[in-house]
Amino acid sequence: LVRLWRFVGGVSIRSPRMGLLVKGILGVAALLMLGFFVHSVKLRQSGDGFSFSRLEGLDAVDKELPGARETIRFLRMQAPGAVIEASEGAYDWTAHIATLSGNPAFLGWENHVNVYRNAYDETARRKGIINSIYRTATCETSMLLMLNENVRYLVVGPKERQAYEGLEQRDFGCMEAMFSNSNYRILVAISPWK
């Protein structure tokens, strides 16, 4: 900073006012850079500023839905495949596991699909399949529905328990439980013919 100030002081500007303006602007810029540097050093020392989960966008969802970060990271490491999750409205965490893990959602925000694609019949069909899997179908029927639609993963988490009452009592024993934590389970539809 001292060298910069001496350099600016040595610059020959014809108007004294212009010289003061240039020095003022450079002085403010130097103070801003110094403030940024000090702030970033403090963040690094506190360990609260540059966490990987913050950079990948998982802090907010994990705060709202504990266990989501771990579930999403796990699913990112698996073979890609379509994911069925609760689809109960827009502008919330609907389809968050599929979206943040980089997998396609079987049905995301219904209203967006309808408006964007004008696909009311397809949206209703998919919504019916999701409701059937989470509400009424036997495990074998659920698995066959998933296999017929080329869906690999079924999520049972807080959004699903909120949308489908009694979900914890449902038997999904015919599917492989590949992941489980305190709030989430990921089940995989395995073809009985392979």
Side-chain angles (χ1 to χ4, degrees), residues 65-172:
L65 301 165
R69 175 189 304 138
E70 181 185 5
T71 307
I72 291 162
R73 284 181 177 164
F74 174 82
L75 200 54
R76 283 179 181 168
M77 303 304 293
Q78 305 308 309
V83 180
I84 288 183
E85 298 177 70
S87 178
E88 295 296 318
Y91 307 108
D92 69 358
W93 291 111
T94 296
H96 65 285
I97 298 295
T99 303
L100 295 172
S101 68
N103 287 291
F106 183 65
L107 179 61
W109 291 353
E110 294 172 62
N111 62 332
H112 284 210
V113 174
N114 285 333
V115 169
Y116 181 65
R117 297 275 186 201
N118 196 19
Y120 298 97
D121 293 339
E122 180 62 16
T123 302
R125 186 185 77 78
R126 290 181 183 217
K127 182 67 175 178
I129 290 170
I130 292 171
N131 286 337
S132 180
I133 288 172
Y134 282 121
R135 283 198 173 117
T136 58
T138 64
C139 183
E140 290 76 13
T141 304
S142 295
M143 187 169 62
L144 288 175
L145 285 169
M146 290 173 63
L147 291 170
N148 286 338
E149 296 295 327
N150 293 315
V151 174
R152 184 169 175 81
Y153 303 108
L154 178 68
V155 174
V156 178
K159 297 297 287 182
E160 291 72 30
R161 286 189 288 279
Q162 177 185 353
Y164 301 101
E165 191 175 317
L167 187 59
E168 286 303 315
Q169 286 74 39
R170 291 290 318 277
D171 176 28
F172 290 109

Side-chain angles (χ1 to χ4, degrees), residues 43-55:
L43 280 176
R44 287 177 195 268
Q45 289 172 347
S46 72
D48 189 37
F50 298 106
S51 67
F52 182 68
S53 63
R54 214 179 215 168
L55 293 174

Side-chain angles (χ1 to χ4, degrees), residues 22-40:
V22 170
K23 285 183 181 181
I25 290 172
L26 289 175
V28 168
L31 285 174
L32 287 173
M33 288 189 312
L34 179 65
F36 175 76
F37 176 74
V38 169
H39 180 69
S40 62

